[in-house]
Amino acid sequence: MLHLVLTCLLLGVASGLSMRRFLLPYFPSGDLAEKSAPATMVASTVFLATIAFTISDQELWAKSAILMLGLLLAAMFDDGRSKLTIAISAVSLAAYLGLRSIN
């Protein structure tokens, strides 16, 4: 049970912290999207991989919990320190992959 909660937490953190940067090109933001294209590419990769692992690996209640945690984190954290939040989301995804291989 602890393993399942930890993997849900890691996926929620990875999706929540990369969601805002993933959505940046879809909103009118001017030069910000062009200036931060590498960070946006990394965040998009992390976000899409997280969503794919959430859909494929988790149960229905866990998918809901991961989605709610991700939305909560995306609403709480602004995009001021985007490199730090993207790094934390990438580390969370890597930790999830490490735990996934253990199971």
Side-chain angles (χ1 to χ4, degrees):
M1 181 69 178
L2 180 64
H3 186 275
L4 183 61
V5 171
L6 186 59
T7 56
C8 288
L9 181 67
L10 289 171
L11 283 174
V13 168
S15 68
L17 294 181
S18 60
M19 186 183 302
R20 289 181 77 119
R21 183 56 66 161
F22 170 75
L23 294 174
L24 186 66
Y26 301 106
F27 293 106
S29 59
D31 295 332
L32 182 62
E34 292 178 13
K35 289 180 182 176
S36 62
T40 304
M41 287 188 302
V42 171
S44 298
T45 303
V46 169
F47 181 73
L48 292 175
T50 302
I51 296 300
F53 284 124
T54 300
I55 291 171
S56 67
D57 289 351
Q58 302 299 323
E59 298 174 15
L60 183 61
W61 71 268
K63 290 176 189 178
S64 302
I66 291 167
L67 178 65
M68 293 307 292
L69 178 63
L71 289 173
L72 178 71
L73 287 175
M76 286 175 46
F77 288 95
D78 63 345
D79 210 22
R81 306 194 114 207
S82 64
K83 292 179 183 177
L84 178 64
T85 57
I86 293 169
I88 292 171
S89 67
V91 167
S92 296
L93 181 62
Y96 168 77
L97 291 175
L99 286 175
R100 185 175 182 250
S101 66
I102 291 172
N103 190 10

